[in-house]
């Protein structure tokens, strides 16, 4: 299971979100992938790098802001991430 969290700003809300995901019990193997979409908040990007260095998250950082819609279009082609729920049988 991949839990993907796109991030652009809002440090307090982002911290609450990610900490709640990390604290949630999950019996299945999973990975928390955080995508920093070129946040304009240096403290937020630094905090995300610390979490990644501690191996608590996988961090993907964009050099420039792609925007949420472009990011979704990119992720839809990623075979490792299912953002829209299970595929119909």
């Amino acid at each position: 299971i991949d839990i993907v969290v796109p991030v652009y700003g809002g440090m307090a809300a982002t911290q609450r979100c990610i900490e709640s995901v990390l604290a949630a019990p999950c019996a299945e193997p999973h990975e928390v992938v955080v995508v920093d979409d070129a946040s304009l908040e240096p403290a937020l990007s630094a905090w995300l790098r610390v979490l990644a260095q501690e191996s608590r998250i996988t961090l993907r950082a964009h050099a420039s802001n792609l925007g949420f819609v472009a990011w979704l279009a990119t992720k839809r082609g990623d075979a490792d991430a299912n953002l829209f729920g299970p595929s119909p049988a």
Side-chain angles (χ1 to χ4, degrees):
I1 298 172
D2 288 349
I3 299 105
V4 182
V5 182
V7 172
Y8 179 70
M11 185 161 179
T14 299
Q15 287 177 314
R16 285 191 308 272
C17 172
I18 293 173
E19 290 295 347
S20 70
V21 169
L22 293 173
C26 184
E28 298 296 323
H30 63 283
E31 180 179 10
V32 178
V33 179
V34 178
V35 180
D36 182 349
D37 197 17
S39 173
L40 298 176
E41 297 182 42
L44 175 56
S45 295
W47 180 72
L48 295 172
R49 285 191 301 274
V50 168
L51 291 180
Q53 290 168 352
E54 294 172 347
S55 299
R56 297 182 68 201
I57 65 168
T58 298
L59 178 61
R60 295 182 184 164
H62 295 161
S64 62
N65 180 268
L66 299 179
F68 186 70
V69 174
W71 178 82
L72 278 179
T74 301
K75 292 307 297 167
R76 286 183 68 179
D78 186 345
D80 292 333
N82 186 342
L83 302 176
F84 304 101
S87 300

